[in-house]
Amino acid sequence: ESLHSCIGLLGVSAGSLLLAVRFYSSVRAAPLIPSSALGVLLLLVSALLAYAGIRRSLRNASLLVALCLTLSALWSGYGVILILAGQGALPGLGDARDALVPGLATFTLALLLLALVGFLCGEPLLGLVAAAASLASAHEVALHCSSSLGPSAVACGHLSVCLVGGYFALGRILRLLTRGSLALPGTDLAEKKAQEQGRGSAGSTNPFAAPGLLLNMLSASVFCCRLLGVTHRLFLGHVPWLWAAGTYQIGICVLSYRAMDALMATAFGFTSILKFAAGYCLLHPAWQPEEPSLPTPFLVVFSILFAVLALFLSLQSPVDGLYLLVFVTYCIALACSPRGFFAGGPQGVAMAIFVSSALVAVIHLYNVRARAKIPTGRGAVKALLAHSSLLKLREGPDLHAPYLGYSKYADAEVLAYACSVLASFALTATGDPQAPLATVVIPWVVVAGGILKLLGGSVAFARGKTLESSAFILYSVMWIIWGLTRYSGLCGTARSFHAAVGIISFMLFNSFIVFCSLFLNMAWFFYSLTFMLIAISFLLDAIHALPAGYDIAATLIFGLVSFYCFLAALASSTFEGCCLPMGRPMVQLSGVGAGMTKCLHLPARKASSVKRIADILRNGGTCGIPTDTVYVLVAACSRPDAVEKAHRSKRQAQDRPMSLWISSLRQLEPAKHLFTPLLWDFMEAAWPSPISLVIPRGEWVDFLGMKDSAKYVGTPQSVAIRIPDCSVTTHLIDLVGPIVVTSANPTGEADTTHHNQVYAKLGDKVDAVLCAGPSPENIASTVVDCTKIDSGNIGFFRVGIIPKSQVLQILEQVQKK
């Protein structure tokens, strides 16, 4: 955390120093750093700041996250505008001024809000950095609006940011190098760590929500400044602010999924689409004189999606839900205005977005840090729904638990289904074939149907949903390619045989997805099947055989199915129980069972999961668990029926008997007299480790309470026994007692190295899986023959992760002892 703080603060100092050098240059002389070079340097610094903000620990919800991401967005847009100015893309006398003022004015207020929260919540140095940066931006706005103010004041402001940030970074570096023994005044945050963690856990769980709201202010300010007459026109120079805000909001969408805030992540995905569309509309007049037109049906559908999301978000936070209603108004205003973003109506709503974003951002910033929270109405909603027997909110630590194992991300299917709705209804727009770019379709199809759906597919893959992620990624590629070729004029009025061949290949892939969805649920079957109708319309259009109205009908059908899936995913992630069913599998398999198994998948990092596995084993179940090598299938020695079940499920071969695991030699202490001293000392020296020792069978087996289970363990002459070098496994054995172990795969197959493979290989024959991700090793344990150890000789049944030389060295040391 200290290192990431240092990187962020040094980045703030570096960017401020570059701007201070720029404004200290004489007005008449050539700047010390050319505009293009300065723009590139600011882009590099903004990337460094974004890294520092993203890598900041989520458990320590410092304002440094918001400060780094806010300044990174500011300097990325600023840098692109400087590059455009340096390359002559802003030739007008006031173009540079009109391009810079909206962004600078927004960040002046945003940084001022950060400074205010920093001073109120006990982070004075971060508040001082934000206040100095706000003052510098305010001076630059004044410089652009009045020639009477010299650039020296701006330079002084940036220099003060550089000095304060450098002081803070130096203090964190000293603390890091001296391991906490030396720290500059005001930079030692160790004594506040417990308070910070307590504050962060009690407040907002998403520290990235506030930067996302500040970015909504940035895009809105572009249109507010035009409405208020601060800027003379909307043009190319404003596109960097809009697209920087959209790009950063896509990143914050991913980070919000990482913070397990699926609804706010979906909201940021929606607002990023509007920013890219606005940037496209401002960029279009650069090569075409007329203003582009917006498809009205699409905007109406978008407003409906915003309204539904606002309704569900109100159950989590009524303040955030009411805030999204402003965007519902915005979409309706755009649909009612022929000029779209250039009209006064939407620009007036943009002013409301600016004000409401600032207010809600302050609430999020304050609640992340403060002990006393600003109420958002969540308690009132919970109290209201507590009296309802039909609706019960889904809460608790397992709210975002995936079907298999655990994931670092919340479920993104809501956003993916919504993007399908947006992309399909965007295709209903009938533009001029001679001027396809004049109708705003590309942002909806490429950004919504392509980029954001690709994001949803990536998150689904991270959550273990292989089929869903494959479909989302395939459909995103299809939307991107078809959207760019058809609506950007790349293929013109002519269609080619090669386009038809490409579409057919997509249809073949989708046919496989349709087939697989038969084993998933009915909703997914119709979702993938109706996308085939879209692909058929693309194919017919490519070969000039598209019937009139077919493409509209196909997109409407797919859009309605996607909308139902959107509602069902929202309901299932918000309420307990199945409010809107997705349907059962149309084809049910025995064994694996198309995802309808009762096999539990529990995260190994939770002590409660280990306790549940122990309960299952005590009740006669068999479980797959992680170890210090590969995954294994285990049963409690005290349950002969479970040991027999594990033996049958493995189809255990006679030459590969099951082994016995204990957690400590204390479990064998009552039977110590039955072991030779050399064997006992060798066991003490070798364990815990991935070394299994095959020792003579004897009366000691009865001391472990194996009863009738003993006949399934080892051979009549010997038993393999081990103490694993894995805290999770030994803790489980402490709870259950000795366990019988075999590899978690049918006999003769490769070892299992991931928790997903356990169920894939053994199916319903395993009752639960303790999930720890990939195995630490891909090699099994070393099996040592100790039946003749008293004669000084040992053998090796299998050489695994521990080499022969190391085992022999252990034996030699024991013999010398």
Side-chain angles (χ1 to χ4, degrees):
E1 290 179 358
S2 293
L3 181 61
H4 296 146
S5 300
C6 296
I7 293 173
L9 292 165
L10 288 175
V12 171
S13 300
S16 300
L17 183 60
L18 289 173
L19 293 173
V21 170
R22 169 183 171 83
F23 285 102
Y24 263 128
S25 303
S26 173
V27 179
R28 297 181 180 87
L32 293 178
I33 306 177
S35 295
S36 298
L38 180 61
V40 173
L41 290 174
L42 284 178
L43 288 176
L44 294 176
V45 172
S46 68
L48 189 67
L49 281 175
Y51 167 80
I54 292 170
R55 295 288 298 183
R56 182 68 176 167
S57 173
L58 292 177
R59 295 175 298 171
N60 188 1
S62 170
L63 290 178
L64 186 63
V65 174
L67 180 63
C68 287
L69 292 178
T70 302
L71 284 175
S72 176
L74 166 63
W75 286 340
S76 63
Y78 199 132
V80 174
I81 291 175
L82 288 178
I83 293 173
L84 292 176
Q87 298 301 313
L90 304 175
L93 185 61
D95 283 355
R97 176 252 181 207
D98 283 351
L100 288 171
V101 165
L104 291 173
T106 301
F107 286 107
T108 298
L109 178 59
L111 292 168
L112 185 62
L113 296 177
L114 279 169
L116 177 64
V117 175
F119 289 125
L120 291 176
C121 298
E123 293 197 37
L125 277 178
L126 286 179
L128 193 58
V129 172
S134 176
L135 183 62
S137 297
H139 275 134
E140 189 169 352
V141 172
L143 175 64
H144 287 298
C145 294
S146 174
S147 58
S148 60
L149 183 68
S152 298
V154 183
C156 288
H158 287 298
L159 189 59
S160 63
V161 177
C162 179
L163 293 176
V164 176
Y167 173 81
F168 204 160
L170 178 62
R172 303 304 291 167
I173 291 173
L174 287 176
R175 175 173 172 75
L176 181 65
L177 295 178
T178 61
R179 297 184 179 180
S181 61
L182 179 62
L184 296 178
T187 63
D188 186 8
L189 304 180
E191 68 275 5
K192 300 179 182 178
K193 194 159 196 171
Q195 294 180 358
E196 290 176 356
Q197 290 180 355
R199 289 170 180 174
S201 61
S204 172
T205 58
N206 185 2
F208 304 106
L213 295 167
L214 296 177
L215 291 172
N216 285 336
M217 293 173 55
L218 174 59
S219 60
S221 72
V222 172
F223 303 103
C224 293
C225 288
R226 177 67 193 96
L227 182 67
L228 298 174
V230 177
T231 56
H232 299 92
R233 61 192 178 102
L234 296 172
F235 70 116
L236 171 67
H238 295 134
V239 175
W241 294 125
L242 295 170
W243 283 4
T247 303
Y248 274 78
Q249 275 205 328
I250 290 179
I252 289 176
C253 174
V254 177
L255 294 172
S256 296
Y257 283 121
R258 179 69 176 84
M260 299 299 172
D261 193 352
L263 295 182
M264 284 302 290
T266 307
F268 289 137
F270 283 3
T271 54
S272 69
I273 298 171
L274 288 173
K275 292 171 178 57
F276 281 105
Y280 177 88
C281 290
L282 270 59
L283 187 63
H284 182 267
W287 63 81
Q288 294 289 339
E290 71 276 1
E291 296 173 356
S293 60
L294 294 173
T296 300
F298 170 85
L299 292 168
V300 174
V301 171
F302 206 176
S303 66
I304 294 174
L305 293 178
F306 261 120
V308 173
L309 183 61
L311 176 63
F312 281 89
L313 189 57
S314 298
L315 302 175
Q316 174 181 299
S317 172
V319 169
D320 295 331
L322 292 173
Y323 168 71
L324 278 192
L325 292 179
V326 185
F327 286 93
V328 177
T329 309
Y330 192 49
C331 291
I332 294 174
L334 288 172
C336 296
S337 304
R339 297 185 61 206
F341 294 99
F342 295 90
Q347 291 173 8
V349 181
M351 188 171 295
I353 291 176
F354 184 90
V355 175
S356 58
S357 298
L359 294 175
V360 179
V362 169
I363 294 174
H364 277 271
L365 285 170
Y366 187 81
N367 286 351
V368 164
R369 296 290 300 126
R371 188 180 300 276
K373 311 298 178 184
I374 299 175
T376 60
R378 178 175 174 82
V381 173
K382 290 178 64 177
L384 183 64
L385 291 179
H387 303 290
S388 173
S389 58
L390 298 177
L391 299 177
K392 185 178 180 182
L393 288 177
R394 187 186 295 273
E395 294 180 306
D398 297 329
L399 173 62
H400 300 287
Y403 174 67
L404 291 178
Y406 68 94
S407 173
K408 294 181 179 180
Y409 298 90
D411 202 339
E413 285 193 6
V414 173
L415 179 61
Y417 291 134
C419 289
S420 295
V421 177
L422 295 175
S424 60
F425 277 93
L427 292 181
T428 60
T430 55
D432 184 3
Q434 301 301 324
L437 295 175
T439 304
V440 183
V441 177
I442 288 182
W444 318 124
V445 175
V446 175
V447 178
I451 298 174
L452 290 178
K453 187 177 280 292
L454 184 63
L455 185 155
S458 302
V459 173
F461 182 79
R463 291 176 59 82
K465 295 186 175 182
T466 308
L467 176 61
E468 294 93 325
S469 65
S470 301
F472 288 149
I473 292 173
L474 175 68
Y475 296 170
S476 70
V477 173
M478 188 68 179
W479 287 121
I480 291 174
I481 294 176
W482 187 249
L484 289 176
T485 53
R486 181 175 180 181
Y487 293 99
S488 65
L490 294 180
C491 59
T493 57
R495 302 291 188 265
S496 66
F497 169 77
H498 304 87
V501 172
I503 295 170
I504 291 173
S505 65
F506 271 103
M507 293 173 65
L508 292 176
F509 280 115
N510 192 54
S511 299
F512 176 72
I513 291 176
V514 172
F515 173 75
C516 293
S517 63
L518 290 170
F519 309 98
L520 188 59
N521 55 54
M522 292 183 63
W524 254 96
F525 172 74
F526 286 109
Y527 177 73
S528 56
L529 185 64
T530 51
F531 186 81
M532 186 69 80
L533 300 178
I534 299 279
I536 292 173
S537 72
F538 293 164
L539 176 63
L540 295 176
D541 183 59
I543 61 176
H544 298 280
L546 181 64
Y550 174 82
D551 54 342
I552 304 295
T555 52
L556 288 176
I557 293 173
F558 178 69
L560 292 174
V561 172
S562 301
F563 185 70
Y564 177 83
C565 294
F566 166 73
L567 291 176
L570 263 179
S572 63
S573 64
T574 306
F575 300 109
E576 292 185 0
C578 193
C579 300
L580 292 175
M582 297 287 281
R584 296 182 61 84
M586 301 186 72
V587 178
Q588 181 72 45
L589 295 177
S590 59
V592 175
M596 300 302 290
T597 177
K598 296 180 181 179
C599 176
L600 293 174
H601 286 73
L602 304 171
R605 69 184 187 278
K606 294 184 178 181
S608 59
S609 300
V610 181
K611 185 176 181 299
R612 290 182 68 182
I613 293 290
D615 292 338
I616 293 172
L617 292 176
R618 280 193 290 262
N619 292 328
T622 58
C623 301
I625 65 169
T627 68
D628 48 352
T629 54
V630 296
Y631 278 79
V632 295
L633 180 67
V634 302
C637 287
S638 58
R639 294 300 302 256
D641 53 338
V643 177
E644 182 182 2
K645 177 183 175 183
H647 190 274
R648 288 199 313 268
S649 64
K650 271 275 296 180
R651 303 191 298 273
Q652 194 73 23
Q654 294 299 319
D655 58 340
R656 294 186 181 180
M658 303 173 77
S659 59
L660 177 67
W661 283 12
I662 58 178
S663 60
S664 171
L665 274 177
R666 288 193 300 270
Q667 293 172 301
L668 289 176
E669 282 284 353
K672 183 177 180 180
H673 63 282
L674 299 174
F675 297 90
T676 63
L678 180 59
L679 178 57
W680 186 267
D681 290 343
F682 185 57
M683 290 191 295
E684 271 190 332
W687 293 334
S689 71
I691 300 176
S692 296
L693 302 183
V694 178
I695 61 177
R697 196 184 194 98
E699 297 178 2
W700 61 268
V701 174
D702 299 331
F703 285 85
L704 297 177
M706 296 185 65
K707 302 178 183 177
D708 295 337
S709 304
K711 62 183 178 182
Y712 297 105
V713 181
T715 66
Q717 295 79 30
S718 61
V719 175
I721 187 171
R722 176 156 92 91
I723 299 178
D725 190 12
C726 176
S727 58
V728 172
T729 310
T730 53
H731 178 52
L732 178 65
I733 298 173
D734 287 335
L735 295 175
V736 178
I739 57 175
V740 175
V741 178
T742 185
S743 57
N745 53 270
T747 302
E749 294 188 9
D751 290 323
T752 303
T753 57
H754 195 280
H755 59 253
N756 287 349
Q757 299 175 4
V758 177
Y759 180 71
K761 291 183 176 183
L762 298 179
D764 291 328
K765 298 173 183 177
V766 60
D767 298 299
V769 179
L770 194 60
C771 307
S775 299
E777 304 292 343
N778 294 330
I779 306 174
S781 63
T782 298
V783 183
V784 182
D785 182 7
C786 297
T787 54
K788 299 179 181 179
I789 190 173
D790 291 327
S791 62
N793 297 320
I794 59 173
F796 292 86
F797 289 110
R798 179 179 69 199
V799 178
I801 186 172
I802 303 298
K804 268 186 182 182
S805 58
Q806 186 174 339
V807 177
L808 294 173
Q809 184 179 3
I810 295 173
L811 176 61
E812 183 180 354
Q813 292 174 351
V814 171
Q815 288 173 333
K816 288 180 180 179
K817 177 183 174 182

